[in-house]
Amino acid sequence: MLTMLNHQIEFSKAVAEIYKPISGRLSDPDAAQPEGNPEGIEACEEYEKIVRDLLATLQPELEMIESRVIKPAEELLEIIKVVQKCLLKRQHKQLDYDRRRTTLKKLQDKKDKTMKDEKAMYKAEGEVEQATQEFEYYNDLLKDELPKLFALEREFIRPLFQSFYYMQLNVFYTLHERMQDINIGYFDLTLGIEEAFEAKRGSVKEEAEKLSIVHYKTTGGRRPGHKFGTGPGRLAIENGKPGGRLAIEDKPSRRATTDFSTKPNSLALVKLDSGLGRANSTGSALGAAAKKKGPAPPPPKPKPSRLSGQPIAETATALYNYEAQATGDLSFSQGDVIEIVERGASENEWWVGRLRGKEGQFPGNYVEMN
C-alpha cells in the first residue's frame, strides 16, 4: 500500500514536469515563453497533496498491520523452520537405520562365516541398535509434538486472520472514500478513461503530423553526383529498351565498346577457347601464389568435450558434512563438488560418487545436483 501511494506521488511529479514549458534559452531567463500548461501543473500538485494526506492518514493503520500481523507471522515461520530441520534429521536417521539393517542382514544370510565375519556381525548388531534408538527418538518426538503444534497454529492463525481482514477492510474503505471525494476541476471524472483522453487530446495528433521533424524517413533516391551514377566505365542499355544494344563503355585508352547484340533480346556467346585460356592462366596464377605462401597451416585443436559428443559427468554440491560410518562410504565436507558415478531412484537412497580420487557411497539427500 505504501509503495502504491508513493508511486502515485512520483507519477504526479512526472506529469507536472511534462506540462512545464521547454521553450526559451537557459542562458537568458527573460527569453522563456509561458507555453506550458499551468492548469495541468496545478492539477498535478493538487493530486499530489491529496495522496500525501491519504498516506499520512493510512500510516498508523499500516504500522498496526506490520506489528500485529506481519511480525507474528514471521515469528511463526521461524518456528516452522526449526520443525523442518527436525524432520530432515529424522529422515537422515531413517536412512542410517535402513543401511545398518541391510548390512546386518547380509552378514546374517552368509552361510560360511569366518571369525572376521562374526566380528563384523557383532559390530553391525551394535550399530543397528544405536541407529534404532536414534531414529525412534526423533520419530516419537515428532509423533507426540507435531499434533500439539498444529493445534496451537490453528488457534494462532484464526484471530490473526480476522484482525488482518478488518484492518485491511478499513484501509480499503478509507482509500475508496478519499478517492471518491476528489474534486479537481481539471479532470472530468464523469467520463470514461478513453472518452476523457480523446476530449483532452483534441487536434494534437494532426498538428504533430504537420511538423517536419516527425517525418524522418528518406525516399531512397540517388543523390546527385553519387559515385554509382552514370559516367565512363558503365554498363548501359542503349535507348532504354530490352532490344537495344548492351555495351560496356570504357575510357578511350582501353578496348573499344563490345557489341553483344548479334540477336535481339540476347547476348552474344563468348568463344570457348578464350574462356579456357583465361581459366588456365588463372589456375597457374593461383598455384604460384600458393607456393609463395609456404606449407599448409597445422590442423585446429580438437574440440572440447562438450562439443565432441562425449557425455559430461554429473556433479553435486555437498549441503552438509558427512563422515564415513562404514567401509565403502565416501566422506566429504559442506561445499565439496562430488562427481556422481551412480544415482539412486530418489534422494532418499544411497548414491555412489567420486571425490579426490576416492569412490564410495553416501546419502543422496546430503547433496544437491548442479
Side-chain angles (χ1 to χ4, degrees):
M1 182 62 68
L2 289 175
T3 304
M4 182 187 72
L5 295 176
N6 287 325
H7 279 312
Q8 293 293 318
I9 294 174
E10 295 300 324
F11 175 75
S12 62
K13 290 181 178 179
V15 175
E17 191 69 25
I18 294 175
Y19 284 154
K20 290 180 180 179
I22 59 175
S23 59
R25 297 187 302 274
L26 295 178
S27 59
D28 186 6
D30 297 333
Q33 301 175 8
E35 295 180 0
N37 187 349
E39 295 84 3
I41 296 174
E42 183 179 356
C44 291
E45 293 175 349
E46 187 175 353
Y47 179 74
E48 180 183 350
K49 182 177 180 299
I50 293 174
V51 176
R52 288 189 181 278
D53 293 341
L54 180 60
L55 183 61
T57 304
L58 294 178
Q59 188 73 28
E61 292 287 341
L62 298 175
E63 292 177 354
M64 189 179 300
I65 293 176
E66 178 73 24
S67 60
R68 295 188 180 182
V69 177
I70 297 178
K71 286 186 177 180
E74 290 177 348
E75 293 175 0
L76 178 60
L77 289 177
E78 293 298 326
I79 296 174
I80 292 175
K81 288 180 181 179
V82 177
V83 176
Q84 288 176 343
K85 290 182 179 179
C86 187
L87 289 170
L88 182 61
K89 194 71 173 178
R90 175 191 173 276
Q91 292 179 0
H92 295 167
K93 294 302 179 182
Q94 186 178 11
L95 282 173
D96 294 339
Y97 171 71
D98 293 338
R99 187 166 65 102
R100 304 297 183 192
R101 286 187 59 190
T102 302
T103 303
L104 178 61
K105 192 174 184 307
K106 288 181 180 179
L107 293 173
Q108 290 175 346
D109 293 342
K110 194 173 183 180
K111 295 181 180 180
D112 300 328
K113 298 183 180 66
T114 62
M115 184 61 66
K116 184 178 180 181
D117 294 334
E118 293 292 341
K119 291 181 179 179
M121 189 170 64
Y122 176 76
K123 180 181 178 182
E125 289 175 350
E127 292 175 347
V128 168
E129 183 178 357
Q130 182 181 357
T132 303
Q133 293 176 358
E134 293 177 354
F135 169 71
E136 289 180 349
Y137 169 76
Y138 286 100
N139 191 49
D140 295 340
L141 179 65
L142 293 172
K143 286 169 62 177
D144 179 56
E145 296 190 356
L146 271 182
K148 298 178 182 178
L149 176 64
F150 293 153
L152 293 174
E153 284 183 348
R154 184 168 57 252
E155 295 299 326
F156 173 78
I157 292 175
R158 185 180 301 169
L160 192 70
F161 178 78
Q162 291 177 353
S163 300
F164 180 64
Y165 171 77
Y166 287 112
M167 290 177 184
Q168 197 175 40
L169 187 64
N170 189 24
V171 169
F172 289 154
Y173 176 77
T174 305
L175 181 63
H176 179 267
E177 185 181 15
R178 289 294 183 90
M179 288 301 175
Q180 286 293 107
D181 294 340
I182 288 180
N183 185 15
I184 301 177
Y186 187 77
F187 303 108
D188 187 1
L189 301 180
T190 61
L191 298 177
I193 297 177
E194 294 183 2
E195 295 175 354
F197 173 76
E198 293 294 339
K200 285 291 183 182
R201 185 176 68 171
S203 61
V204 173
K205 182 178 180 182
E206 290 75 12
E207 294 177 4
E209 290 292 336
K210 295 178 182 179
L211 300 176
S212 59
I213 194 173
V214 301
H215 303 287
Y216 57 88
K217 293 184 179 179
T218 60
T219 59
R222 183 175 296 169
R223 296 191 297 271
H226 195 268
K227 65 177 181 179
F228 294 113
T230 57
R234 69 184 185 276
L235 181 66
I237 298 178
E238 293 186 1
N239 301 326
K241 299 179 181 179
R245 196 170 70 176
L246 179 65
I248 300 177
E249 298 182 2
D250 210 336
K251 295 180 180 179
S253 60
R254 298 188 179 182
R255 288 183 296 180
T257 302
T258 304
D259 190 359
F260 294 94
S261 60
T262 57
K263 292 182 181 181
N265 301 326
S266 64
L267 297 179
L269 298 177
V270 184
K271 292 184 179 180
L272 183 62
D273 55 352
S274 62
L276 292 175
R278 286 194 299 272
N280 292 335
S281 62
T282 304
S284 60
L286 291 175
K291 291 180 180 180
K292 291 181 179 180
K293 289 183 179 179
K301 296 180 179 180
K303 295 185 292 184
S305 58
R306 64 183 180 88
L307 302 177
S308 61
Q310 299 179 358
I312 301 176
E314 292 183 315
T315 58
T317 302
L319 300 175
Y320 314 97
N321 297 332
Y322 179 72
E323 189 69 26
Q325 301 179 4
T327 305
D329 287 1
L330 181 65
S331 300
F332 51 79
S333 302
Q334 182 180 0
D336 285 347
V337 179
I338 306 167
E339 181 182 352
I340 304 301
V341 178
E342 180 181 352
R343 292 176 59 180
S346 67
E347 62 178 10
N348 293 325
E349 295 185 2
W350 290 89
W351 295 8
V352 180
R354 185 181 297 110
L355 177 64
R356 291 187 282 272
K358 184 179 179 181
E359 185 174 319
Q361 61 180 0
F362 59 90
N365 54 5
Y366 271 57
V367 299
E368 180 181 22
M369 292 298 298
N370 295 329

